[in-house]
Amino acid sequence: MTGPHSSTHAPRSPNRPAVLVARAVFPETIERLRRHFEVEDNPADHIFDKATLAAHLAGKAGAFTTGSERIDADVLAENPQLRVVANMAVGYNNIDVPACTARGVLATNTPDVLTETTADFGFALMMAAARRMAESERFLRRGEWTRWAYDMFTGSDVHGATLGILGMGRIGQAIARRGALGFGMRVVYHNRSRLAPEVEASLRARYLDKATLLREADHLVLVLPYSAQSHHAIGAAELALMKPTATLTNVARGGIVDDAALAAALRGKRIAAAALDVFEGEPQVHPDLLAVPNVVLTPHIASATVRTRRAMADLAADNLIAALTGERPPTPVNPEVLAAGGVLPPR
Ligand code: GLV
């Protein structure tokens, strides 16, 4: 089929907006963006430092970013022509949203499409910690398994236990559903705002203050956004409130947990085990965490299924295309900067 609307290669025009795709992404996503924009991509997948990122953004109206690109006030100041930052992640703590809003720059994220996938992984990590899967697998691989023993790698049950959720947004609720409906868990949670009674009832979830949540949970899962307020929300004082048999799982963001304090709590058996997909300063991992056996460590892959990563890339592209072609982007973070027909022109 040929014709003006079926071509995958729209004619190049100097009037088409320029965008930067800051990390390697699906070739199909790049192809799609090229139908609308002059695209600078990064197939070698270099990680840009701040100055390099700002330089690559020169002349770009849009940026397709991931959590590894920090869009801060300086980067924005160097690029006053930038109109949209489309983040391929639900979290957007890599973007200074107030600074974007002040400059009329739209930020978008990728909620919803990763909720169930991330909840699956959070639940799997929690189970792995409770049942000591990584620790026992390492033991087997080391050739140390020579006989059965009544107390070999005894952990704690997940079914029927108390599931504590800190941060009860979409992903927290999806984890609560798995626990309550699939595993007969008693679900307790703490969140900035309490859920509506009918939502609590559907999840069979009970609201607690944070300290009581920490005391009551057999398995605590963190699913809250990272911010100055949630920095080190779990440190030595909070870990001290937890049961010695409890587990802690973090699928939210590094920095919510004080990793050094957690490693000390794991080493001292202050809590039984932990499972972490995110780390302070990742991809660096605190050496003390690498040295303790009772922690499962994964490299920030909670949303990493092929289908979900495609959906995230598609949604980030939808946002970028809509915002720069006068449509309403599906998932804006700061919709107050939207004009009736897309993003406002540069101030
Ligand atoms: C991943 O961490 C995300 O925020 O999507």
Side-chain angles (χ1 to χ4, degrees), residues 4 14 20 31 59 72 85 88 91 98 107 115 118 144 149 163 166 171 210 237 247 267 285 287 310 317 342 344:
L20 174 70
E31 274 302 300
D72 63 13
V85 180
M88 183 182 149
T115 298
T118 304
E144 291 175 23
L163 172 60
L166 188 57
I171 299 169
K210 184 177 164 189
T247 73
R267 199 170 39 239
V285 175
R310 279 302 294 260
L344 294 163

Side-chain angles (χ1 to χ4, degrees), residues 92-103:
Y92 46 84
N93 55 297
N94 58 310
I95 300 174
D96 184 337
V97 177
C100 283
T101 305
R103 288 185 169 273

Side-chain angles (χ1 to χ4, degrees), residues 16-25 29-30 33-34 37-43 46-66 69-71 75 79 81-88 316-317 320 324:
R16 297 196 318 158
V19 301
L20 174 70
V21 181
R23 295 289 310 275
V25 70
T29 309
I30 301 291
L33 293 172
R34 286 200 202 285
F37 307 123
E38 297 300 319
V39 177
E40 177 184 331
D41 62 349
N42 178 9
H46 297 299
I47 302 285
F48 298 145
D49 62 22
K50 183 166 157 158
T52 313
L53 176 63
H56 280 276
L57 282 171
K60 307 296 191 304
F64 183 114
T65 56
T66 71
E69 289 71 55
R70 172 116 192 92
I71 303 288
V75 169
N79 288 280
Q81 81 295 336
L82 190 67
R83 310 294 350 118
V84 189
V85 180
N87 212 34
M88 183 182 149
L320 196 53
L324 292 175

Side-chain angles (χ1 to χ4, degrees), residues 88-93 110 114 251-253 278 300 303 309 312:
M88 183 182 149
V90 66
Y92 46 84
N93 55 297
T110 60
L114 48 60
V251 282
R253 276 290 180 274
V278 285
H300 203 148
S303 67
R309 285 287 164 84
M312 292 166 66

